[in-house]
Structures are given as C-alpha cells and as structure tokens.
Amino acid sequence: MLPPTYRSGWPLIPSVSPAPPPDASDMPTPPSDDSHLRKRTPSEKPPSSRNAPATPTTPAQSPSHGVPNPSTRTSKLLVALISLALTSYFAYNKLGNIVQPSSPSEPYALCSREGAHIYTLDAKNPRVQCLVVNGSKFMSSGSLDQVLSHWHETTPGQPHVRFLKPGQIVVPGLSDSHAHVLEYGATKQMPLEGTKSIAETVGRVRAYIEADPDILEDKTKYVEGWGWDHTKWLLEEWPTYNALEADPIVAGRPVVLQSKDGHALWVSLTVLQAMEPLPDEVEGGVIVRDSFGKPTGVFLDNAQDLVIRPEPTYKQLQKRFAATVKDAHSLGLTAVHDAGFNPMSLEFFRREAQSSTLPIRVYGMKYFDETAAYWGDSFDKIIRAGNNRLSVRSVKIFADGALRSGGAALYEPYTDNPETRGFMRIAPEMLNEVIPKFMKDGWQVNVHAIGDRANGVVLDAFEAALAKANVTALRPRLEHAQILAQRDMARFGDLGVIASVQPTHAISDMWFAEDRLGPERVKGLYAFRSIIDHGARITLGSDFPVEDMNPLAGFYAAITRVSPDGTSPHGPGGWFPEQRMTREEALKGMTLDPAYASFTEDILGSITPGKFADFVVLSQDIMTIPASDVLSTRVVATVMDGKPVYGAI
C-alpha cells in the first residue's frame, strides 16, 4: 500500500573530495643519497593519441535482462506505477517518516529501471539490475527482487534505493595498468605537446618564463617542461641547445625538456656545461652529437641519467599527485599501476600512505638500477598498505628503448634506417641473472620491451627462471609487448606472462609504423588478438602522460583501431582490423585483468559481493552504442569504497 504522500527520489550522495594537502613546509623530499641533485631516472613512452570528443548521441537500446521490456503504453504505465511505488516505499520507514541517508556510509542499492545495465564482470552474474553497497563493500547484486530478498534475510531495515537515469550504466572501477603518476602532474607545469616546430616549442618555454616573475628575475632557477615530439614537427629533426640560446629570454638558463615518449631529454647549454666532462658512450643510451662530435643537448634513453636537476620538494610532489588524482577520478579511474618508482617517488607514496588514506589505489613497480647491488632479498615488499591502497611487490626493468626514437631492439635492422637494429638498455646476460633471482625472492617482474628482439630476450629469461620459481604464480608482465615475432606469441600463454599493452599507442604509431618496420614485420606490432588467441591475458593502460589518460580512449582504440576521427592507414575499417579486441575483452582489460595483474582480484576488479565497492556510472552504454559514440561518453560518478570521489549517485 502506498503511503499517503510521496516525495520523489533520494538526496544525491555527493562526491567526497580528497582533503587538500597539508600545509607542509616547503622542504625537499628526503633524498635517496647525499646530494640535493638527482640523476634522471628514465621512463618510457611513445607518442600521443588525439582524443577529440564526438558529439553526444542518444544511446542505442539494449535488451532488458531480468526486467520486462514493455512494448505497449499500458505496460509502460504499469511499470512506471510500480517504480513510483517502490521509490515511495523506500522513502519511508515503517512509521511513515521519510528516510534519508545521514551519511554516504549507510547501506544503499543502486538500480536501473531499464533492465540489467550493471556490468559486473562477475562470471556468475555478469549483468544485473541492482547492486547493494554496505559500508565499503558490495553486499549483493541481482534483480531488485533478489537484492531485497537477500537484504531481508540478512539485515534489519531497508536499503536506500537510487535509480540510474535513462541510458546510464555501471561498470567496475576502471584501472590504468601502465601510467606515470607524478610525471603526469609534472606535465601540468609546462606542457609542450602539439607544437609544430622547434621555434614554436622554444616560444612556449619563453612564455612560461615570462609568466612567472620568480623565474624571470632569477636566471639560476631550473625551467622544466614535458611533451615535445620532433616527429610531429614540420621538419623532423632533433633539437639542439642552440635553439634555446637563440632566444634572449631563454638563453643562459638551466632548461630541461622531456620528450613526449619519455625517451629523450633536450637541455640548454647551461645544463650541458654543468655535466662536463661527458663520457664518449653510454651503454643502452645515446648522447646525440653534431658532425664535429660535439654534444647537441639531446640525450636518449640511459644517457638521460647523466642529466642532473634539483629534486622537487615534498610540497611540489603533493601538488603533482593531487593534479593527477583529480583528472583520474573525473575519468573513472579508481586504480593505477605506476610503471617505475624511483627512490624519490617510492618514498613519497610510502609517506603519503602512512599519513593518510591515498585518494586512489596505487600499484607501484620498484625501479631496477642495473648499476646498483641486487636488493630483491633485502627490500621489504609493501602489500595493500594504507587501507588497501598501496602495494609495491613488483620490479620494473627496462629492456630496450622506444620505436619512435629508434631505440627499440629489433632482430633485423630498421627498414627506414638499415644502419641500426636499435639497442638493448640492459645486457641479456644480466636479464638472465636478475630475473630468476627476483622471482626466487617472490617478486613480480615487469619488463619494458618494445622491439621483437627485446621481447624475445625477456621471454627467454622468464623461461629460464622456471628452474627456480613458479613463473605463472608470480604473474610476470611484459610492459608494452609492442612488436612480437610469430614464434614468441605462443610463449605468453605457455609461461603465464601478462601482456600489459596500451591501445592508444597503436593508433598513434600506425601512421609511421610500416615505414619503420616494413610491410611484413609490422603485422606483429600491437597484435592484440594474436596475443589473446595464444592464451595470454591482456591488461590495458594508457602510459599517461604519454597518451590521453581517458580509459575510454583506450577502450575505443582497442575495439576500432582507428583514430578518433575514424581514419586509419587501412581506411575506416581499422588498421589491421583482425587484431581488434571485443568490447567484453576491452572492459575486462580495464577492470578484472588489471586486478589479476596486481594480485588484487580477490578484492577488486568486479562487482562481486565481498569486494570493495569501486564502480563507475557512465552516461551511455559503451557495450552497445556505435563505436563512434564511445568517446562522447561521460563519467557521471566515480565511486571508491562505496563513496563517490567524483560526481554523485
């Protein structure tokens, strides 16, 4: 029986914004050595995807699951009356008083009136009408009748019920399996992406200096930026320090500019002179020189370690982290895998986790420095610290460089530069030595490998480790796994190696890849379907700030293999369309598979009773709408531990 009066809906549960960073004194982060300057730890990354959002469209209708799909006006009216009655019923307690959540921690149900529009990624119950959250965890899922019946059997009272708006869906909290958290925050300082020439890039540096009086008036202050991409300039060439010195405002200052893919640094004459004397060669890296043998100011891969700069302060790192988290939450990300904790970033995240609950889940890979002593048997792993939000139980090793800069290690020479096959950044002998050691000591080993030779060498090392460790149980990962020889494809599944890939790299690189690799070898580049068909798991990431942070951009690239404007070198059907992923595989690659790849599938990755209530409300159904409409999808709410951190439910 309906109550005598009716009040529609429930108060929105608002997002819970992370508390602002404490007003810590602007003191330097405790250094990892005795110096206030650090050698730059390289981080890998090729070029960016241009994500131009499409115009929003009306979502396609999908079949209802668990709820009738009325086709007549009468049945629609009946469903509306039932919905009204249910909403009214839950708006009142047994005394007839309106019940409103006093805090977001109270139990609630979130349901769709349109059918099973909650994608759980739970194999036992893949699509449901409702989910129920109790505290920080999912309590149950199913149809409205099922969840209410379960509630009545286990819990006194009634859950608060909210309904999705028409067209909206729910998916588990999204994860980015390969990202650079603090580096992304740093790119907000002076972004250089999108310039068309060296002169335009220098112009941005000048504008940045002129906009900051402290830097303008003090020529000793370091000027740092990120994102230049020489392959996108009208004249494709490496920059030099001369271009920086030619501008009267920029000249004479210490300037350090990181390339878009993270594999090159461009520095000013002031920085170059401070680095002298330079070695003739750097193993696994290149000091770019002119025709007279003089350094030009560009350093590739391991040679970047020679560049020194001041350590950022703790307060600066907090600002970078906060900037990253703000964008991540707005895009539906609840977890990130940080692909390379150097001593500074490791100490920062450890300190943050000890002082407060991290605002996002972070799975960190501890950076391996081949010049340092082996530490796998002495460093204590960090597992689910800070309220299950920080883990450091994997090691990150760099095998080679990047395809864009010609550093990816290939079996055969580059088609467009037959004089080189790229290079390994670490000797195969060392890989065969340290990988079994780390695995024996219980570490997950994650290796950056781009070229087919690099991937083959790393798979050899994983295979050799079988004698000392259960490789599959330790879930080793090939980060990028970009170019694979056919003979290496099957070894992923056989060894239990996870392919950690970035789909937006594919639609960025497809425009130059065949010129670089040739018509046959290019077929092994970003071969996602072949990897899956050989029994391997694929986990998806963006490599932000190299590519767009938006996980839906990766979803779109994985299922279409076309640019955001719908084009590709092979036409609108996609670049090597036979390598596309299904939507189900792509969603799994952003949810359940990243949880598996970070040893958290028992608590994260799906909407399953007992797991932490991380989920995302999307404005339209990415599983059914035309692929061209995916990029117009908005994140309505991002929820962690049952509480919105972005938007409202």
Side-chain angles (χ1 to χ4, degrees):
M1 181 176 178
L2 293 177
T5 58
Y6 169 68
R7 176 171 173 175
S8 175
W10 291 104
L12 293 179
I13 300 178
S15 63
V16 180
S17 301
D23 188 19
S25 60
D26 199 18
M27 297 295 290
T29 304
S32 55
D33 53 29
D34 294 331
S35 172
H36 72 289
L37 298 177
R38 68 179 174 90
K39 291 186 175 181
R40 173 66 182 174
T41 299
S43 77
E44 81 294 17
K45 325 167 186 174
S48 166
S49 165
R50 298 166 300 283
N51 179 7
T55 303
T57 60
T58 302
Q61 295 298 315
S62 61
S64 293
H65 296 261
V67 170
N69 186 15
S71 59
T72 67
R73 183 173 299 178
T74 302
S75 58
K76 288 181 179 178
L77 177 60
L78 179 59
V79 170
L81 289 172
I82 292 172
S83 177
L84 175 65
L86 286 170
T87 304
S88 300
Y89 175 73
F90 292 120
Y92 287 77
N93 66 13
K94 61 184 180 181
L95 298 178
N97 298 317
I98 296 174
V99 178
Q100 297 181 358
S102 60
S103 74
S105 62
E106 291 189 10
Y108 63 89
L110 181 63
C111 302
S112 170
R113 288 189 173 98
E114 299 178 314
H117 285 184
I118 296 175
Y119 293 84
T120 68
L121 274 294
D122 184 339
K124 296 180 181 178
N125 221 5
R127 291 184 63 179
V128 299
Q129 182 193 8
C130 297
L131 61 83
V132 177
V133 173
N134 191 1
S136 62
K137 296 183 178 181
F138 294 114
M139 179 180 177
S140 64
S141 65
S143 69
L144 183 58
D145 286 343
Q146 288 171 335
V147 298
L148 292 180
S149 175
H150 180 264
W151 182 273
H152 294 154
E153 292 172 359
T154 60
T155 311
Q158 299 288 351
H160 304 290
V161 179
R162 287 203 58 79
F163 290 94
L164 299 172
K165 291 183 179 179
Q168 294 179 350
I169 68 166
V170 174
V171 297
L174 302 178
S175 295
D176 191 309
S177 294
H178 187 107
H180 303 274
V181 174
L182 297 178
E183 289 84 350
Y184 178 90
T187 65
K188 298 293 187 178
Q189 183 176 337
M190 181 175 49
L192 300 175
E193 185 179 358
T195 59
K196 299 297 183 183
S197 66
I198 292 176
E200 183 183 351
T201 308
V202 174
R204 286 201 190 179
V205 177
R206 174 178 179 149
Y208 173 80
I209 294 170
E210 291 178 326
D212 189 325
D214 290 339
I215 295 177
L216 182 62
E217 296 170 7
D218 185 351
K219 297 192 72 170
T220 67
K221 286 186 177 292
Y222 269 68
V223 178
E224 299 185 60
W226 185 301
W228 60 270
D229 184 354
H230 71 293
T231 68
K232 298 292 180 65
W233 294 339
L234 298 177
L235 180 60
E236 184 176 331
E237 61 181 354
W238 291 114
T240 70
Y241 67 77
N242 290 320
L244 297 169
E245 299 307 313
D247 187 290
I249 299 297
V250 180
R253 299 176 184 272
V255 180
V256 181
L257 307 176
Q258 182 77 61
S259 68
K260 176 69 177 172
D261 65 4
H263 286 265
L265 283 173
W266 170 21
V267 305
S268 65
L269 180 61
T270 300
V271 175
L272 193 61
Q273 290 173 336
M275 296 164 59
E276 293 177 345
L278 292 172
D280 293 333
E281 295 182 353
V282 176
E283 185 174 355
V286 175
I287 301 172
V288 178
R289 300 176 187 271
D290 62 19
S291 58
F292 300 101
K294 295 182 178 180
T296 63
V298 172
F299 298 82
L300 306 182
D301 290 303
N302 285 359
Q304 295 177 107
D305 291 353
L306 300 172
V307 178
I308 56 176
R309 69 185 85 177
E311 287 275 11
T313 65
Y314 179 63
K315 190 173 183 179
Q316 287 174 324
L317 294 179
Q318 283 186 308
K319 289 180 178 178
R320 293 179 185 181
F321 185 38
T324 303
V325 169
K326 179 181 178 182
D327 287 356
H329 284 167
S330 72
L331 295 169
L333 289 173
T334 58
V336 291
H337 299 185
D338 194 295
F341 275 177
N342 58 31
M344 176 194 66
S345 54
L346 174 60
E347 181 58 31
F348 170 78
F349 281 104
R350 189 203 300 269
R351 180 174 172 180
E352 289 294 286
Q354 289 173 346
S355 62
S356 63
T357 298
L358 291 178
I360 195 166
R361 302 187 196 278
V362 178
Y363 183 73
M365 310 175 200
K366 191 174 186 300
Y367 175 70
F368 173 71
D369 181 355
E370 61 268 26
T371 65
Y374 175 76
W375 45 261
D377 55 354
S378 58
F379 182 86
D380 290 333
K381 303 176 187 71
I382 302 172
I383 299 178
R384 301 184 184 182
N387 196 25
N388 292 283
R389 294 202 177 182
L390 177 66
S391 289
V392 183
R393 58 177 299 175
S394 63
V395 58
K396 169 71 176 297
I397 301 173
F398 285 87
D400 65 346
L403 181 64
R404 180 63 65 107
S405 57
L410 305 178
Y411 285 119
E412 301 297 332
Y414 281 85
T415 301
D416 61 351
N417 187 5
E419 296 180 356
T420 181
R421 296 190 304 158
F423 50 83
M424 296 290 291
R425 289 177 60 170
I426 184 172
E429 294 78 13
M430 179 167 283
L431 284 174
N432 287 322
E433 176 187 346
V434 300
I435 286 179
K437 279 186 178 180
F438 276 114
M439 288 190 162
K440 180 176 178 293
D441 289 323
W443 287 85
Q444 181 191 48
V445 178
N446 304 339
V447 186
H448 162 110
I450 302 290
D452 51 9
R453 179 173 179 244
N455 280 286
V457 167
V458 176
L459 287 170
D460 288 343
F462 285 148
E463 197 164 358
L466 283 170
K468 296 183 178 180
N470 184 337
V471 173
T472 302
L474 292 168
R475 308 178 187 182
R477 297 166 47 161
L478 274 170
E479 302 298 317
H480 307 305
Q482 283 186 8
I483 312 169
L484 295 171
Q486 190 62 39
R487 63 180 178 271
D488 290 329
M489 292 281 189
R491 292 206 284 170
F492 273 92
D494 294 343
L495 294 171
V497 176
I498 298 167
S500 174
V501 303
Q502 299 75 44
T504 44
H505 283 342
I507 62 174
S508 290
D509 293 1
M510 64 184 178
W511 300 103
F512 72 87
E514 188 167 333
D515 289 342
R516 187 139 297 180
L517 298 173
E520 287 303 313
R521 185 167 45 181
V522 75
K523 295 176 183 177
L525 179 63
Y526 301 110
F528 303 149
R529 169 58 46 206
S530 297
I531 295 172
I532 293 172
D533 288 347
H534 280 94
R537 285 181 183 260
I538 277 191
T539 183
L540 306 185
S542 68
D543 204 3
F544 72 70
V546 176
E547 300 282 3
D548 189 341
M549 180 191 280
N550 186 1
L552 294 184
F555 181 90
Y556 168 85
I559 67 173
T560 67
R561 294 177 74 93
V562 297
S563 291
D565 63 3
T567 62
S568 84
H570 295 167
W575 183 62
F576 294 110
E578 67 275 11
Q579 295 294 347
R580 290 180 300 202
M581 298 173 68
T582 68
R583 299 191 195 212
E584 291 74 16
E585 289 167 342
L587 183 59
K588 187 168 177 278
M590 296 158 49
T591 54
L592 195 55
D593 283 338
Y596 176 84
S598 58
F599 301 89
T600 54
E601 74 275 14
D602 60 326
I603 60 171
L604 299 172
S606 65
I607 297 173
T608 300
K611 290 190 177 184
F612 286 107
D614 291 4
F615 63 90
V616 181
V617 180
L618 298 176
S619 63
Q620 48 186 354
D621 191 343
I622 61 172
M623 306 302 286
T624 61
I625 59 175
S628 58
D629 293 339
V630 167
L631 294 178
S632 67
T633 304
R634 295 178 297 100
V635 171
V636 176
T638 303
V639 179
M640 294 184 64
D641 289 340
K643 300 178 182 179
V645 292
Y646 172 81
I649 55 175

